[in-house]
Amino acid sequence: MKFFSKRKKFLVLIIGILVVLSLNFFQKEVKGFFYFISSPMQKSFWEAGGNAADFFNGIFQGGNFKKENEELKLRIQELLAENASFSELREENEILRKALEIGLQKEFRLALAEVIGKDIGQDSVLVNLGSQDGISEGMPVITQEKVLLGSITAVYERYCYVRLISNKESSFDAEISDSDVAGIVKGQGGSKLLLDLIPQEKEVKTGQLVLSSSLGGIYPKGLLVGLTGKIKRSDIGPFQQAEILPFVEIKELKEVLIILNL
Amino acid sequence: MIKKSLLFLIVFYLLVLWQTSFLVYFDIAGFVPNIVLILVILINLLEKPHKYFGILAGFWGGFFLDIFSSGFIGLNTLILLAIALFVKMVLKKHVQAPVV
């Protein structure tokens, strides 16, 4: 039995497309509804995915554990030495603060959100806080370790999307710690970052810490972005570029903090 | 027909949920495989050229990808429908089924 004639099939297809496109007028309601009914299952999938990934990583990387352990031990020793010098500096800093009567840096007001999904190919994640929790577009998102993740883009009633700094549309001002080198961090997609527009005369080394700068007014100053990787220098261009190795992988994200007051 | 359409709706809804929340942990060089796209192509390749469930698969697959993405609704629907129609057109015009 022929259910539809060819012309009718085509008409049904066109109507279907028009209906889907018209849903954009109620995008917040439609997406909000689907996220609401799907969130328990999505959360379970997200947790199951994390557990499965941990299990397989354990199997495939078992051989590297010894080497990694030794490297980490060395790193701990380095950090302990660094920490000792920092405590001295902190004491000195506090004395100077008191002397100059400078208040402590303004603390952020934060909201804790759980990651429940990722937008494939867009470098953005879906989290379980929305407009009813006081979330609005543009709010910065960080991890508990003060690593910059990105900013809020689309806000629904109970959910919102976080555009990660690795998204191709993301760019913001940043600086290299303990130096006067500044540049612009541009998202490259696929969790990749690039520090661009570094003046040619500045010296940049691999492994330097990149921090956010308050210059563009998008993010607060001093949030961790990553470590510099491969440096790209050109004899012709006025600027050099540095790849950035991010501190966080999307897979490792379970909870994020949204800064409510910038 | 309606039964099969409903089945496609449920299958693609679950598949998109699985892809956006479970499969993201298993990326290959930073890219997560788009299982929905692969399934839509496979359905269109394997079904008889005059049938249209492959197009329905493209529609539902694209629709749910749109719902669980941050972009506007309709982009993935149009892309997957175009791919489904393209595969069908190529099969109809340029591939001849072997005579048994």
Side-chain angles (χ1 to χ4, degrees), chain A residues 3 9 17 20 23-24 27 31 34-35 38 41-42 45-46 48-50 117-120 124 161 251, chain B residues 13-14 17 19-22 24-27 52 55 59 63 66-73 77-78 81:
Chain A
F3 203 86
K9 273 184 228 167
I17 293 170
V20 168
L23 289 178
N24 281 298
Q27 207 190 78
K31 285 192 175 179
F34 275 103
Y35 296 153
S38 315
M41 210 187 306
Q42 214 172 1
F45 276 146
W46 187 263
K118 186 200 163 195
D119 178 5
I120 293 173
S124 60
Y161 269 106
K251 300 177 214 171
Chain B
Y13 168 68
L14 291 174
L17 264 189
Q19 185 173 302
T20 53
S21 44
F22 183 90
V24 286
Y25 286 95
F26 303 95
D27 62 311
Y52 48 88
I55 293 167
F59 180 82
F63 174 71
D66 281 328
I67 290 292
F68 292 97
S69 78
S70 52
F72 82 96
I73 304 173
T77 313
L78 288 173
L81 271 176

Side-chain angles (χ1 to χ4, degrees), chain B residues 31-95:
Chain B
F31 293 96
V32 180
N34 195 338
I35 299 293
V36 176
L37 172 70
I38 294 168
L39 191 69
V40 167
I41 293 173
L42 276 179
I43 291 172
N44 280 285
L45 278 176
L46 297 175
E47 83 169 350
K48 286 176 184 162
H50 64 273
K51 295 216 167 180
Y52 48 88
F53 285 110
I55 293 167
L56 201 66
F59 180 82
W60 284 128
F63 174 71
F64 285 117
L65 278 180
D66 281 328
I67 290 292
F68 292 97
S69 78
S70 52
F72 82 96
I73 304 173
L75 179 70
N76 286 301
T77 313
L78 288 173
I79 290 172
L80 286 198
L81 271 176
I83 289 170
L85 287 168
F86 178 73
V87 173
K88 281 230 168 292
M89 194 190 77
V90 170
L91 282 181
K92 240 183 205 174
K93 287 196 175 171
H94 304 288
V95 181

